[in-house]
mmCIF file of all heavy atoms in Angstrom:
data_model
loop_
_atom_site.group_PDB
_atom_site.id
_atom_site.type_symbol
_atom_site.label_atom_id
_atom_site.label_comp_id
_atom_site.label_asym_id
_atom_site.label_seq_id
_atom_site.Cartn_x
_atom_site.Cartn_y
_atom_site.Cartn_z
ATOM 1 N N ALA A 38 -0.669 -5.097 20.073
ATOM 2 C CA ALA A 38 -0.877 -6.535 20.149
ATOM 3 C C ALA A 38 -2.073 -6.806 21.052
ATOM 4 O O ALA A 38 -2.939 -7.652 20.741
ATOM 5 C CB ALA A 38 0.338 -7.342 20.441
ATOM 6 N N ARG A 39 -2.098 -6.216 22.289
ATOM 7 C CA ARG A 39 -3.098 -6.370 23.233
ATOM 8 C C ARG A 39 -4.411 -5.936 22.681
ATOM 9 O O ARG A 39 -5.533 -6.447 22.861
ATOM 10 C CB ARG A 39 -2.839 -5.625 24.512
ATOM 11 C CG ARG A 39 -2.549 -6.453 25.697
ATOM 12 C CD ARG A 39 -2.360 -5.660 27.028
ATOM 13 N NE ARG A 39 -2.080 -4.329 26.888
ATOM 14 C CZ ARG A 39 -0.808 -3.804 26.944
ATOM 15 N NH1 ARG A 39 0.125 -4.567 26.881
ATOM 16 N NH2 ARG A 39 -0.635 -2.451 26.878
ATOM 17 N N GLU A 40 -4.363 -4.794 21.971
ATOM 18 C CA GLU A 40 -5.633 -4.072 21.448
ATOM 19 C C GLU A 40 -6.026 -4.772 20.054
ATOM 20 O O GLU A 40 -7.086 -4.316 19.576
ATOM 21 C CB GLU A 40 -5.457 -2.544 21.246
ATOM 22 C CG GLU A 40 -5.196 -1.934 22.535
ATOM 23 C CD GLU A 40 -4.922 -0.422 22.288
ATOM 24 O OE1 GLU A 40 -4.566 -0.053 21.181
ATOM 25 O OE2 GLU A 40 -4.689 0.260 23.362
ATOM 26 N N GLY A 41 -5.348 -5.712 19.515
ATOM 27 C CA GLY A 41 -5.717 -6.264 18.301
ATOM 28 C C GLY A 41 -5.432 -5.492 17.089
ATOM 29 O O GLY A 41 -5.955 -5.757 15.923
ATOM 30 N N LYS A 42 -4.559 -4.497 17.102
ATOM 31 C CA LYS A 42 -4.179 -3.689 16.047
ATOM 32 C C LYS A 42 -3.131 -4.272 15.114
ATOM 33 O O LYS A 42 -2.951 -3.905 14.014
ATOM 34 C CB LYS A 42 -3.655 -2.229 16.457
ATOM 35 C CG LYS A 42 -4.834 -1.413 17.130
ATOM 36 C CD LYS A 42 -4.272 -0.054 17.624
ATOM 37 C CE LYS A 42 -5.405 0.663 18.339
ATOM 38 N NZ LYS A 42 -4.927 2.013 18.659
ATOM 39 N N ILE A 43 -2.374 -5.109 15.689
ATOM 40 C CA ILE A 43 -1.514 -6.098 14.945
ATOM 41 C C ILE A 43 -1.815 -7.507 15.407
ATOM 42 O O ILE A 43 -2.343 -7.635 16.493
ATOM 43 C CB ILE A 43 0.012 -5.731 15.097
ATOM 44 C CG1 ILE A 43 0.354 -5.835 16.581
ATOM 45 C CG2 ILE A 43 0.216 -4.399 14.576
ATOM 46 C CD1 ILE A 43 1.910 -5.688 16.771
ATOM 47 N N PRO A 44 -1.314 -8.543 14.628
ATOM 48 C CA PRO A 44 -1.516 -9.862 15.041
ATOM 49 C C PRO A 44 -0.848 -10.165 16.357
ATOM 50 O O PRO A 44 0.117 -9.625 16.845
ATOM 51 C CB PRO A 44 -0.919 -10.668 14.054
ATOM 52 C CG PRO A 44 -0.892 -9.808 12.715
ATOM 53 C CD PRO A 44 -0.844 -8.428 13.273
ATOM 54 N N LYS A 45 -1.476 -11.074 17.158
ATOM 55 C CA LYS A 45 -0.882 -11.547 18.484
ATOM 56 C C LYS A 45 0.313 -12.262 18.210
ATOM 57 O O LYS A 45 0.500 -12.991 17.223
ATOM 58 C CB LYS A 45 -1.892 -12.337 19.265
ATOM 59 C CG LYS A 45 -3.247 -11.579 19.566
ATOM 60 C CD LYS A 45 -3.441 -11.517 20.970
ATOM 61 C CE LYS A 45 -4.796 -11.011 21.312
ATOM 62 N NZ LYS A 45 -4.750 -9.545 21.702
ATOM 63 N N PRO A 46 1.386 -12.164 19.130
ATOM 64 C CA PRO A 46 2.522 -12.912 18.985
ATOM 65 C C PRO A 46 2.444 -14.287 19.448
ATOM 66 O O PRO A 46 1.420 -14.695 19.988
ATOM 67 C CB PRO A 46 3.536 -12.170 19.996
ATOM 68 C CG PRO A 46 2.635 -11.587 21.047
ATOM 69 C CD PRO A 46 1.352 -11.254 20.329
ATOM 70 N N HIS A 47 3.362 -15.075 19.058
ATOM 71 C CA HIS A 47 3.357 -16.546 19.501
ATOM 72 C C HIS A 47 4.403 -16.834 20.454
ATOM 73 O O HIS A 47 5.516 -16.314 20.435
ATOM 74 C CB HIS A 47 3.684 -17.484 18.283
ATOM 75 C CG HIS A 47 2.731 -17.373 17.036
ATOM 76 N ND1 HIS A 47 1.606 -17.984 16.993
ATOM 77 C CD2 HIS A 47 2.721 -16.387 16.084
ATOM 78 C CE1 HIS A 47 0.850 -17.772 15.925
ATOM 79 N NE2 HIS A 47 1.517 -16.696 15.236
ATOM 80 N N LYS A 48 4.133 -17.512 21.439
ATOM 81 C CA LYS A 48 4.995 -17.872 22.655
ATOM 82 C C LYS A 48 5.819 -19.231 22.132
ATOM 83 O O LYS A 48 5.155 -20.308 22.145
ATOM 84 C CB LYS A 48 4.214 -18.256 23.888
ATOM 85 C CG LYS A 48 5.023 -18.287 25.112
ATOM 86 C CD LYS A 48 5.086 -17.199 25.898
ATOM 87 C CE LYS A 48 5.761 -17.461 27.185
ATOM 88 N NZ LYS A 48 6.495 -16.227 27.679
ATOM 89 N N LEU A 49 7.001 -18.996 21.772
ATOM 90 C CA LEU A 49 7.797 -20.092 21.313
ATOM 91 C C LEU A 49 8.442 -20.962 22.429
ATOM 92 O O LEU A 49 8.692 -22.143 22.230
ATOM 93 C CB LEU A 49 8.886 -19.625 20.249
ATOM 94 C CG LEU A 49 8.238 -18.889 18.994
ATOM 95 C CD1 LEU A 49 9.426 -18.468 18.169
ATOM 96 C CD2 LEU A 49 7.220 -19.752 18.367
ATOM 97 N N ALA A 50 8.753 -20.249 23.574
ATOM 98 C CA ALA A 50 9.432 -20.893 24.682
ATOM 99 C C ALA A 50 9.035 -20.051 25.858
ATOM 100 O O ALA A 50 8.347 -18.991 25.708
ATOM 101 C CB ALA A 50 10.927 -21.067 24.458
ATOM 102 N N GLU A 51 9.573 -20.362 27.030
ATOM 103 C CA GLU A 51 9.217 -19.695 28.262
ATOM 104 C C GLU A 51 9.521 -18.097 28.096
ATOM 105 O O GLU A 51 8.770 -17.345 28.479
ATOM 106 C CB GLU A 51 9.933 -20.209 29.425
ATOM 107 C CG GLU A 51 9.546 -19.562 30.765
ATOM 108 C CD GLU A 51 10.294 -20.162 31.978
ATOM 109 O OE1 GLU A 51 10.539 -21.421 31.803
ATOM 110 O OE2 GLU A 51 10.227 -19.638 32.964
ATOM 111 N N ASN A 52 10.740 -17.829 27.488
ATOM 112 C CA ASN A 52 11.091 -16.436 27.553
ATOM 113 C C ASN A 52 11.327 -15.981 26.060
ATOM 114 O O ASN A 52 12.162 -15.257 25.789
ATOM 115 C CB ASN A 52 12.474 -16.173 28.169
ATOM 116 C CG ASN A 52 12.208 -16.375 29.663
ATOM 117 O OD1 ASN A 52 11.149 -15.780 30.272
ATOM 118 N ND2 ASN A 52 13.081 -16.997 30.370
ATOM 119 N N THR A 53 10.496 -16.750 25.174
ATOM 120 C CA THR A 53 10.825 -16.272 23.787
ATOM 121 C C THR A 53 9.311 -16.089 23.076
ATOM 122 O O THR A 53 8.454 -17.138 22.974
ATOM 123 C CB THR A 53 11.494 -17.417 22.900
ATOM 124 O OG1 THR A 53 12.655 -17.812 23.664
ATOM 125 C CG2 THR A 53 11.760 -17.098 21.523
ATOM 126 N N THR A 54 9.049 -14.941 22.716
ATOM 127 C CA THR A 54 7.751 -14.532 22.140
ATOM 128 C C THR A 54 8.244 -13.850 20.828
ATOM 129 O O THR A 54 9.024 -12.894 20.674
ATOM 130 C CB THR A 54 6.943 -13.509 22.951
ATOM 131 O OG1 THR A 54 6.787 -14.210 24.234
ATOM 132 C CG2 THR A 54 5.752 -13.277 22.399
ATOM 133 N N ARG A 55 7.457 -14.311 19.695
ATOM 134 C CA ARG A 55 7.835 -13.784 18.439
ATOM 135 C C ARG A 55 6.537 -13.525 17.636
ATOM 136 O O ARG A 55 5.576 -14.115 17.717
ATOM 137 C CB ARG A 55 8.767 -14.765 17.656
ATOM 138 C CG ARG A 55 10.088 -14.929 18.302
ATOM 139 C CD ARG A 55 11.010 -13.861 18.147
ATOM 140 N NE ARG A 55 12.328 -14.139 18.664
ATOM 141 C CZ ARG A 55 12.764 -13.963 19.820
ATOM 142 N NH1 ARG A 55 11.967 -13.459 20.732
ATOM 143 N NH2 ARG A 55 14.078 -14.220 20.163
ATOM 144 N N TRP A 56 6.660 -12.735 16.524
ATOM 145 C CA TRP A 56 5.552 -12.435 15.577
ATOM 146 C C TRP A 56 6.029 -13.120 14.345
ATOM 147 O O TRP A 56 7.195 -13.073 13.798
ATOM 148 C CB TRP A 56 5.468 -10.988 15.267
ATOM 149 C CG TRP A 56 4.644 -10.262 16.342
ATOM 150 C CD1 TRP A 56 3.251 -9.879 16.294
ATOM 151 C CD2 TRP A 56 5.102 -9.828 17.528
ATOM 152 N NE1 TRP A 56 2.853 -9.287 17.343
ATOM 153 C CE2 TRP A 56 4.020 -9.203 18.194
ATOM 154 C CE3 TRP A 56 6.311 -9.714 18.237
ATOM 155 C CZ2 TRP A 56 3.985 -8.567 19.511
ATOM 156 C CZ3 TRP A 56 6.456 -9.089 19.466
ATOM 157 C CH2 TRP A 56 5.165 -8.523 20.062
ATOM 158 N N ARG A 57 5.030 -13.814 13.656
ATOM 159 C CA ARG A 57 5.252 -14.364 12.415
ATOM 160 C C ARG A 57 5.203 -13.322 11.283
ATOM 161 O O ARG A 57 4.206 -12.596 11.150
ATOM 162 C CB ARG A 57 4.328 -15.533 12.089
ATOM 163 C CG ARG A 57 4.639 -16.441 10.902
ATOM 164 C CD ARG A 57 3.549 -17.438 10.802
ATOM 165 N NE ARG A 57 3.900 -18.549 11.800
ATOM 166 C CZ ARG A 57 3.087 -19.428 12.079
ATOM 167 N NH1 ARG A 57 1.820 -19.487 11.652
ATOM 168 N NH2 ARG A 57 3.346 -20.270 13.187
ATOM 169 N N LEU A 58 6.392 -13.252 10.511
ATOM 170 C CA LEU A 58 6.324 -12.196 9.412
ATOM 171 C C LEU A 58 5.248 -12.377 8.439
ATOM 172 O O LEU A 58 4.680 -11.424 8.098
ATOM 173 C CB LEU A 58 7.719 -12.307 8.776
ATOM 174 C CG LEU A 58 7.920 -11.307 7.559
ATOM 175 C CD1 LEU A 58 7.918 -9.846 7.996
ATOM 176 C CD2 LEU A 58 9.236 -11.480 6.916
ATOM 177 N N SER A 59 4.918 -13.547 8.052
ATOM 178 C CA SER A 59 3.857 -13.704 7.135
ATOM 179 C C SER A 59 2.426 -13.179 7.654
ATOM 180 O O SER A 59 1.662 -12.675 6.891
ATOM 181 C CB SER A 59 3.679 -15.169 6.669
ATOM 182 O OG SER A 59 3.351 -16.025 7.827
ATOM 183 N N GLU A 60 2.210 -13.280 9.027
ATOM 184 C CA GLU A 60 1.026 -12.798 9.574
ATOM 185 C C GLU A 60 1.047 -11.280 9.565
ATOM 186 O O GLU A 60 -0.046 -10.649 9.293
ATOM 187 C CB GLU A 60 0.792 -13.374 10.963
ATOM 188 C CG GLU A 60 0.481 -14.774 10.993
ATOM 189 C CD GLU A 60 0.482 -15.394 12.428
ATOM 190 O OE1 GLU A 60 0.614 -14.668 13.438
ATOM 191 O OE2 GLU A 60 0.173 -16.681 12.489
ATOM 192 N N LEU A 61 2.214 -10.604 9.784
ATOM 193 C CA LEU A 61 2.146 -9.188 9.852
ATOM 194 C C LEU A 61 2.067 -8.682 8.379
ATOM 195 O O LEU A 61 1.388 -7.672 8.154
ATOM 196 C CB LEU A 61 3.583 -8.734 10.339
ATOM 197 C CG LEU A 61 3.787 -8.889 11.943
ATOM 198 C CD1 LEU A 61 5.276 -8.646 12.134
ATOM 199 C CD2 LEU A 61 2.861 -8.118 12.594
#
Side-chain angles (χ1 to χ4, degrees):
R39 247 188 340 273
E40 294 174 352
K42 293 181 180 180
I43 61 172
K45 298 234 183 265
H47 298 269
K48 187 102 170 150
L49 302 180
E51 185 177 341
N52 293 317
T53 307
T54 303
R55 301 287 187 265
W56 279 261
R57 189 176 287 160
L58 178 60
S59 60
E60 292 176 358
L61 291 171

